[in-house]
PDB file of all heavy atoms in Angstrom:
ATOM      1  N   GLY R 969      25.682  44.025 -26.589  1.00  0.00           N
ATOM      2  CA  GLY R 969      24.831  43.116 -27.342  1.00  0.00           C
ATOM      3  C   GLY R 969      24.956  43.360 -28.827  1.00  0.00           C
ATOM      4  O   GLY R 969      25.423  44.420 -29.262  1.00  0.00           O
ATOM      5  N   ALA R 970      24.560  42.362 -29.604  1.00  0.00           N
ATOM      6  CA  ALA R 970      24.583  42.475 -31.058  1.00  0.00           C
ATOM      7  C   ALA R 970      23.179  42.747 -31.570  1.00  0.00           C
ATOM      8  O   ALA R 970      22.193  42.327 -30.970  1.00  0.00           O
ATOM      9  CB  ALA R 970      25.137  41.191 -31.670  1.00  0.00           C
ATOM     10  N   ILE R 971      23.093  43.456 -32.686  1.00  0.00           N
ATOM     11  CA  ILE R 971      21.808  43.810 -33.285  1.00  0.00           C
ATOM     12  C   ILE R 971      21.745  43.240 -34.686  1.00  0.00           C
ATOM     13  O   ILE R 971      22.727  43.296 -35.439  1.00  0.00           O
ATOM     14  CB  ILE R 971      21.619  45.342 -33.305  1.00  0.00           C
ATOM     15  CG1 ILE R 971      21.563  45.879 -31.865  1.00  0.00           C
ATOM     16  CG2 ILE R 971      20.347  45.727 -34.063  1.00  0.00           C
ATOM     17  CD1 ILE R 971      21.547  47.380 -31.772  1.00  0.00           C
ATOM     18  N   GLU R 972      20.587  42.690 -35.018  1.00  0.00           N
ATOM     19  CA  GLU R 972      20.396  42.084 -36.338  1.00  0.00           C
ATOM     20  C   GLU R 972      19.132  42.638 -36.974  1.00  0.00           C
ATOM     21  O   GLU R 972      18.110  42.817 -36.305  1.00  0.00           O
ATOM     22  CB  GLU R 972      20.296  40.566 -36.206  1.00  0.00           C
ATOM     23  CG  GLU R 972      20.205  39.825 -37.516  1.00  0.00           C
ATOM     24  CD  GLU R 972      20.177  38.319 -37.325  1.00  0.00           C
ATOM     25  OE1 GLU R 972      20.188  37.875 -36.164  1.00  0.00           O
ATOM     26  OE2 GLU R 972      20.138  37.595 -38.340  1.00  0.00           O
ATOM     27  N   VAL R 973      19.197  42.922 -38.271  1.00  0.00           N
ATOM     28  CA  VAL R 973      18.048  43.398 -39.040  1.00  0.00           C
ATOM     29  C   VAL R 973      17.830  42.422 -40.192  1.00  0.00           C
ATOM     30  O   VAL R 973      18.750  42.190 -40.993  1.00  0.00           O
ATOM     31  CB  VAL R 973      18.276  44.817 -39.591  1.00  0.00           C
ATOM     32  CG1 VAL R 973      17.049  45.286 -40.375  1.00  0.00           C
ATOM     33  CG2 VAL R 973      18.593  45.791 -38.464  1.00  0.00           C
ATOM     34  N   VAL R 974      16.634  41.836 -40.246  1.00  0.00           N
ATOM     35  CA  VAL R 974      16.309  40.893 -41.317  1.00  0.00           C
ATOM     36  C   VAL R 974      15.143  41.464 -42.116  1.00  0.00           C
ATOM     37  O   VAL R 974      14.027  41.592 -41.599  1.00  0.00           O
ATOM     38  CB  VAL R 974      15.951  39.501 -40.759  1.00  0.00           C
ATOM     39  CG1 VAL R 974      15.650  38.534 -41.902  1.00  0.00           C
ATOM     40  CG2 VAL R 974      17.069  38.964 -39.891  1.00  0.00           C
ATOM     41  N   ILE R 975      15.423  41.825 -43.372  1.00  0.00           N
ATOM     42  CA  ILE R 975      14.415  42.429 -44.255  1.00  0.00           C
ATOM     43  C   ILE R 975      13.792  41.324 -45.098  1.00  0.00           C
ATOM     44  O   ILE R 975      14.499  40.557 -45.756  1.00  0.00           O
ATOM     45  CB  ILE R 975      15.046  43.499 -45.152  1.00  0.00           C
ATOM     46  CG1 ILE R 975      15.689  44.599 -44.282  1.00  0.00           C
ATOM     47  CG2 ILE R 975      14.012  44.100 -46.094  1.00  0.00           C
ATOM     48  CD1 ILE R 975      16.536  45.586 -45.050  1.00  0.00           C
ATOM     49  N   GLY R 976      12.475  41.228 -45.051  1.00  0.00           N
ATOM     50  CA  GLY R 976      11.778  40.185 -45.781  1.00  0.00           C
ATOM     51  C   GLY R 976      11.448  40.582 -47.201  1.00  0.00           C
ATOM     52  O   GLY R 976      11.629  41.748 -47.622  1.00  0.00           O
ATOM     53  N   ALA R 977      10.916  39.624 -47.938  1.00  0.00           N
ATOM     54  CA  ALA R 977      10.510  39.884 -49.322  1.00  0.00           C
ATOM     55  C   ALA R 977       9.243  40.733 -49.339  1.00  0.00           C
ATOM     56  O   ALA R 977       8.370  40.580 -48.475  1.00  0.00           O
ATOM     57  CB  ALA R 977      10.275  38.565 -50.039  1.00  0.00           C
ATOM     58  N   PRO R 978       9.111  41.660 -50.317  1.00  0.00           N
ATOM     59  CA  PRO R 978       7.900  42.487 -50.404  1.00  0.00           C
ATOM     60  C   PRO R 978       6.649  41.626 -50.594  1.00  0.00           C
ATOM     61  O   PRO R 978       6.682  40.596 -51.266  1.00  0.00           O
ATOM     62  CB  PRO R 978       8.160  43.364 -51.631  1.00  0.00           C
ATOM     63  CG  PRO R 978       9.642  43.357 -51.814  1.00  0.00           C
ATOM     64  CD  PRO R 978      10.101  42.012 -51.351  1.00  0.00           C
ATOM     65  N   VAL R 979       5.560  42.049 -49.957  1.00  0.00           N
ATOM     66  CA  VAL R 979       4.280  41.346 -50.045  1.00  0.00           C
ATOM     67  C   VAL R 979       3.274  42.286 -50.690  1.00  0.00           C
ATOM     68  O   VAL R 979       3.046  43.413 -50.200  1.00  0.00           O
ATOM     69  CB  VAL R 979       3.773  40.920 -48.658  1.00  0.00           C
ATOM     70  CG1 VAL R 979       2.479  40.142 -48.782  1.00  0.00           C
ATOM     71  CG2 VAL R 979       4.825  40.096 -47.927  1.00  0.00           C
ATOM     72  N   SER R 980       2.676  41.855 -51.790  1.00  0.00           N
ATOM     73  CA  SER R 980       1.685  42.680 -52.485  1.00  0.00           C
ATOM     74  C   SER R 980       0.296  42.416 -51.932  1.00  0.00           C
ATOM     75  O   SER R 980       0.007  41.302 -51.458  1.00  0.00           O
ATOM     76  CB  SER R 980       1.697  42.365 -53.985  1.00  0.00           C
ATOM     77  OG  SER R 980       2.971  42.626 -54.552  1.00  0.00           O
ATOM     78  N   PRO R 981      -0.597  43.415 -51.989  1.00  0.00           N
ATOM     79  CA  PRO R 981      -1.988  43.172 -51.583  1.00  0.00           C
ATOM     80  C   PRO R 981      -2.580  42.053 -52.426  1.00  0.00           C
ATOM     81  O   PRO R 981      -2.416  42.042 -53.646  1.00  0.00           O
ATOM     82  CB  PRO R 981      -2.683  44.510 -51.852  1.00  0.00           C
ATOM     83  CG  PRO R 981      -1.588  45.522 -51.845  1.00  0.00           C
ATOM     84  CD  PRO R 981      -0.385  44.815 -52.386  1.00  0.00           C
ATOM     85  N   PRO R 982      -3.243  41.077 -51.832  1.00  0.00           N
ATOM     86  CA  PRO R 982      -3.766  39.936 -52.595  1.00  0.00           C
ATOM     87  C   PRO R 982      -4.872  40.351 -53.554  1.00  0.00           C
ATOM     88  O   PRO R 982      -5.799  41.073 -53.180  1.00  0.00           O
ATOM     89  CB  PRO R 982      -4.283  39.000 -51.504  1.00  0.00           C
ATOM     90  CG  PRO R 982      -4.538  39.880 -50.327  1.00  0.00           C
ATOM     91  CD  PRO R 982      -3.539  40.978 -50.400  1.00  0.00           C
ATOM     92  N   ALA R 983      -4.749  39.876 -54.789  1.00  0.00           N
ATOM     93  CA  ALA R 983      -5.738  40.239 -55.803  1.00  0.00           C
ATOM     94  C   ALA R 983      -7.099  39.626 -55.505  1.00  0.00           C
ATOM     95  O   ALA R 983      -8.142  40.166 -55.899  1.00  0.00           O
ATOM     96  CB  ALA R 983      -5.238  39.776 -57.175  1.00  0.00           C
ATOM     97  N   GLU R 984      -7.098  38.471 -54.780  1.00  0.00           N
ATOM     98  CA  GLU R 984      -8.374  37.783 -54.541  1.00  0.00           C
ATOM     99  C   GLU R 984      -9.173  38.383 -53.384  1.00  0.00           C
ATOM    100  O   GLU R 984     -10.300  37.963 -53.120  1.00  0.00           O
ATOM    101  CB  GLU R 984      -8.125  36.299 -54.284  1.00  0.00           C
ATOM    102  CG  GLU R 984      -7.379  35.991 -52.996  1.00  0.00           C
ATOM    103  CD  GLU R 984      -5.863  36.074 -53.165  1.00  0.00           C
ATOM    104  OE1 GLU R 984      -5.420  36.582 -54.222  1.00  0.00           O
ATOM    105  OE2 GLU R 984      -5.135  35.660 -52.243  1.00  0.00           O
ATOM    106  N   ALA R 985      -8.577  39.353 -52.660  1.00  0.00           N
ATOM    107  CA  ALA R 985      -9.270  39.945 -51.517  1.00  0.00           C
ATOM    108  C   ALA R 985     -10.511  40.708 -51.995  1.00  0.00           C
ATOM    109  O   ALA R 985     -10.437  41.508 -52.942  1.00  0.00           O
ATOM    110  CB  ALA R 985      -8.343  40.872 -50.753  1.00  0.00           C
ATOM    111  N   ALA R 986     -11.651  40.465 -51.335  1.00  0.00           N
ATOM    112  CA  ALA R 986     -12.901  41.109 -51.754  1.00  0.00           C
ATOM    113  C   ALA R 986     -12.939  42.574 -51.372  1.00  0.00           C
ATOM    114  O   ALA R 986     -13.574  43.389 -52.056  1.00  0.00           O
ATOM    115  CB  ALA R 986     -14.088  40.363 -51.147  1.00  0.00           C
ATOM    116  N   THR R 987     -12.300  42.915 -50.247  1.00  0.00           N
ATOM    117  CA  THR R 987     -12.314  44.304 -49.770  1.00  0.00           C
ATOM    118  C   THR R 987     -10.913  44.717 -49.364  1.00  0.00           C
ATOM    119  O   THR R 987     -10.019  43.872 -49.172  1.00  0.00           O
ATOM    120  CB  THR R 987     -13.248  44.453 -48.561  1.00  0.00           C
ATOM    121  OG1 THR R 987     -12.725  43.676 -47.478  1.00  0.00           O
ATOM    122  CG2 THR R 987     -14.665  43.990 -48.887  1.00  0.00           C
ATOM    123  N   ALA R 988     -10.712  46.032 -49.213  1.00  0.00           N
ATOM    124  CA  ALA R 988      -9.422  46.535 -48.751  1.00  0.00           C
ATOM    125  C   ALA R 988      -9.124  46.048 -47.339  1.00  0.00           C
ATOM    126  O   ALA R 988      -7.968  45.805 -46.981  1.00  0.00           O
ATOM    127  CB  ALA R 988      -9.412  48.063 -48.803  1.00  0.00           C
ATOM    128  N   PHE R 989     -10.178  45.880 -46.539  1.00  0.00           N
ATOM    129  CA  PHE R 989      -9.979  45.404 -45.170  1.00  0.00           C
ATOM    130  C   PHE R 989      -9.424  43.975 -45.174  1.00  0.00           C
ATOM    131  O   PHE R 989      -8.488  43.657 -44.431  1.00  0.00           O
ATOM    132  CB  PHE R 989     -11.304  45.450 -44.409  1.00  0.00           C
ATOM    133  CG  PHE R 989     -11.191  44.994 -42.980  1.00  0.00           C
ATOM    134  CD1 PHE R 989     -10.616  45.805 -42.012  1.00  0.00           C
ATOM    135  CD2 PHE R 989     -11.657  43.742 -42.601  1.00  0.00           C
ATOM    136  CE1 PHE R 989     -10.505  45.382 -40.700  1.00  0.00           C
ATOM    137  CE2 PHE R 989     -11.554  43.303 -41.292  1.00  0.00           C
ATOM    138  CZ  PHE R 989     -10.970  44.135 -40.340  1.00  0.00           C
ATOM    139  N   GLU R 990      -9.993  43.107 -46.025  1.00  0.00           N
ATOM    140  CA  GLU R 990      -9.478  41.741 -46.117  1.00  0.00           C
ATOM    141  C   GLU R 990      -8.034  41.744 -46.602  1.00  0.00           C
ATOM    142  O   GLU R 990      -7.199  40.956 -46.139  1.00  0.00           O
ATOM    143  CB  GLU R 990     -10.353  40.915 -47.062  1.00  0.00           C
ATOM    144  CG  GLU R 990     -11.732  40.591 -46.505  1.00  0.00           C
ATOM    145  CD  GLU R 990     -12.524  39.727 -47.456  1.00  0.00           C
ATOM    146  OE1 GLU R 990     -11.954  39.253 -48.464  1.00  0.00           O
ATOM    147  OE2 GLU R 990     -13.725  39.526 -47.208  1.00  0.00           O
ATOM    148  N   ALA R 991      -7.735  42.629 -47.553  1.00  0.00           N
ATOM    149  CA  ALA R 991      -6.356  42.731 -48.049  1.00  0.00           C
ATOM    150  C   ALA R 991      -5.418  43.174 -46.935  1.00  0.00           C
ATOM    151  O   ALA R 991      -4.293  42.664 -46.803  1.00  0.00           O
ATOM    152  CB  ALA R 991      -6.300  43.711 -49.223  1.00  0.00           C
TER     153      ALA R 991
END
Side-chain angles (χ1 to χ4, degrees):
I971 296 173
E972 184 177 2
V973 181
V974 181
I975 301 170
V979 183
S980 300
E984 67 275 11
T987 64
F989 181 75
E990 289 182 8

